[in-house]
Amino acid sequence: MNRDAQEQAGEPSAAEAQAVADADVAVSAEDSGPDDVATDLAGAPAAVNEEALESLLASLRERLREIASRLAEAGARDEALAEYVPPRRVAKVIPRDAVFRPLGRVWRLGVFLLDREGRLYAAGTSTRAVRPGHPGYQSVSAEQRRAFRAAASRSRFEDGETINFDAREIVLTPEGLGALIDGPGPLVVHHGGLRVRWTPEAQILVRFDEYLEERVHLLTGPAGA
């Protein structure tokens, strides 16, 4: 078929076909390159086999225990982990104000919380046990924050204590990690490795180990200890 007939039939010329092939090769080579510190999340989720997940899980558990031990030995500043208990009535009659129920102590590592047993949490909301101040003509969100401070101040925490609540424990099982493959949360399994999404909108991921190491340094350095 000559060039004019190819164009009328909608078929690409030999030069156009070669250009497309060259572009495909370039994209394939780029995708197969070395893993960078920052990773673009674009593309379809990559499958990770069960054996790889088991290995990844073992490394993660060991790393979290090691970090918890380092933070404890350094006397790094920790924070309270609690459950928010909303206002309620006891026996449907006696009113009870909202309070925070203590659950333990954690270290804040950016978008994560870590306890002394190596349990990892996705950080939720935080408040402080301080006097809430008087209600005023504020936004709904400001009034909600004031209500949380009021609940914290009447709970069993020291003045000024930072209280973390609505934290979600990250399930450290093969099934739990499998659910994180290119998922929407802060901890992501991407191309067989652990990555961090530091904001919900982030499309660029960073390596989990390096992210945690930076946060550990902040807590154990002169300013954090």
Short mmCIF file of all heavy atoms in Angstrom, two decimals, residues 132-138 142-143 146-147 149-150:
data_model
loop_
_atom_site.label_atom_id
_atom_site.label_comp_id
_atom_site.label_asym_id
_atom_site.label_seq_id
_atom_site.Cartn_x
_atom_site.Cartn_y
_atom_site.Cartn_z
N PRO A 132 -9.63 25.25 78.24
CA PRO A 132 -10.17 25.47 76.89
C PRO A 132 -10.51 26.90 76.56
O PRO A 132 -10.66 27.26 75.39
CB PRO A 132 -11.45 24.62 76.92
CG PRO A 132 -11.86 24.59 78.35
CD PRO A 132 -10.57 24.57 79.13
N GLY A 133 -10.63 27.77 77.57
CA GLY A 133 -11.04 29.14 77.30
C GLY A 133 -12.55 29.23 77.19
O GLY A 133 -13.26 28.22 77.24
N HIS A 134 -13.04 30.41 77.05
CA HIS A 134 -14.49 30.62 77.01
C HIS A 134 -15.01 30.44 75.59
O HIS A 134 -14.35 30.85 74.62
CB HIS A 134 -14.84 32.01 77.52
CG HIS A 134 -14.46 32.23 78.94
ND1 HIS A 134 -15.11 31.62 79.99
CD2 HIS A 134 -13.46 32.99 79.50
CE1 HIS A 134 -14.56 31.99 81.14
NE2 HIS A 134 -13.55 32.81 80.87
N PRO A 135 -16.18 29.86 75.45
CA PRO A 135 -16.78 29.75 74.11
C PRO A 135 -17.10 31.13 73.57
O PRO A 135 -17.42 32.06 74.32
CB PRO A 135 -18.05 28.92 74.35
CG PRO A 135 -18.37 29.13 75.79
CD PRO A 135 -17.06 29.29 76.49
N GLY A 136 -16.99 31.30 72.30
CA GLY A 136 -17.27 32.58 71.67
C GLY A 136 -17.83 32.39 70.29
O GLY A 136 -18.26 31.29 69.91
N TYR A 137 -17.83 33.47 69.54
CA TYR A 137 -18.35 33.40 68.18
C TYR A 137 -17.21 32.92 67.27
O TYR A 137 -16.50 33.72 66.66
CB TYR A 137 -18.87 34.76 67.75
CG TYR A 137 -20.05 35.22 68.58
CD1 TYR A 137 -19.88 36.14 69.61
CD2 TYR A 137 -21.33 34.71 68.35
CE1 TYR A 137 -20.95 36.55 70.39
CE2 TYR A 137 -22.40 35.11 69.13
CZ TYR A 137 -22.20 36.03 70.15
OH TYR A 137 -23.27 36.43 70.91
N GLN A 138 -17.04 31.61 67.25
CA GLN A 138 -15.96 31.01 66.49
C GLN A 138 -16.53 30.08 65.42
O GLN A 138 -17.73 29.79 65.40
CB GLN A 138 -15.03 30.20 67.41
CG GLN A 138 -14.46 31.00 68.56
CD GLN A 138 -13.51 30.15 69.40
OE1 GLN A 138 -12.40 29.85 68.98
NE2 GLN A 138 -13.95 29.77 70.58
N ALA A 142 -13.24 25.56 65.17
CA ALA A 142 -12.60 26.12 66.36
C ALA A 142 -13.35 25.70 67.62
O ALA A 142 -12.72 25.40 68.65
CB ALA A 142 -12.55 27.65 66.25
N GLU A 143 -14.65 25.66 67.57
CA GLU A 143 -15.44 25.22 68.71
C GLU A 143 -15.19 23.73 69.01
O GLU A 143 -15.15 23.32 70.16
CB GLU A 143 -16.93 25.46 68.46
CG GLU A 143 -17.39 26.85 68.83
CD GLU A 143 -17.15 27.16 70.30
OE1 GLU A 143 -17.61 26.40 71.17
OE2 GLU A 143 -16.47 28.15 70.58
N ARG A 146 -11.95 23.48 70.78
CA ARG A 146 -12.13 23.92 72.16
C ARG A 146 -12.78 22.82 73.00
O ARG A 146 -12.40 22.59 74.16
CB ARG A 146 -12.98 25.19 72.21
CG ARG A 146 -12.96 25.92 73.55
CD ARG A 146 -14.07 26.94 73.67
NE ARG A 146 -15.35 26.27 73.81
CZ ARG A 146 -15.83 25.79 74.97
NH1 ARG A 146 -15.12 25.92 76.08
NH2 ARG A 146 -16.98 25.19 75.02
N ALA A 147 -13.77 22.13 72.40
CA ALA A 147 -14.44 21.04 73.11
C ALA A 147 -13.47 19.89 73.41
O ALA A 147 -13.52 19.29 74.49
CB ALA A 147 -15.62 20.53 72.30
N ARG A 149 -10.20 20.25 73.86
CA ARG A 149 -9.33 20.71 74.95
C ARG A 149 -10.04 20.61 76.29
O ARG A 149 -9.43 20.26 77.31
CB ARG A 149 -8.87 22.14 74.68
CG ARG A 149 -7.90 22.30 73.51
CD ARG A 149 -7.22 23.65 73.52
NE ARG A 149 -8.16 24.76 73.40
CZ ARG A 149 -8.58 25.26 72.25
NH1 ARG A 149 -8.14 24.74 71.09
NH2 ARG A 149 -9.42 26.28 72.22
N ALA A 150 -11.33 20.93 76.29
CA ALA A 150 -12.10 20.83 77.53
C ALA A 150 -12.17 19.38 78.01
O ALA A 150 -12.01 19.11 79.21
CB ALA A 150 -13.51 21.39 77.30
#
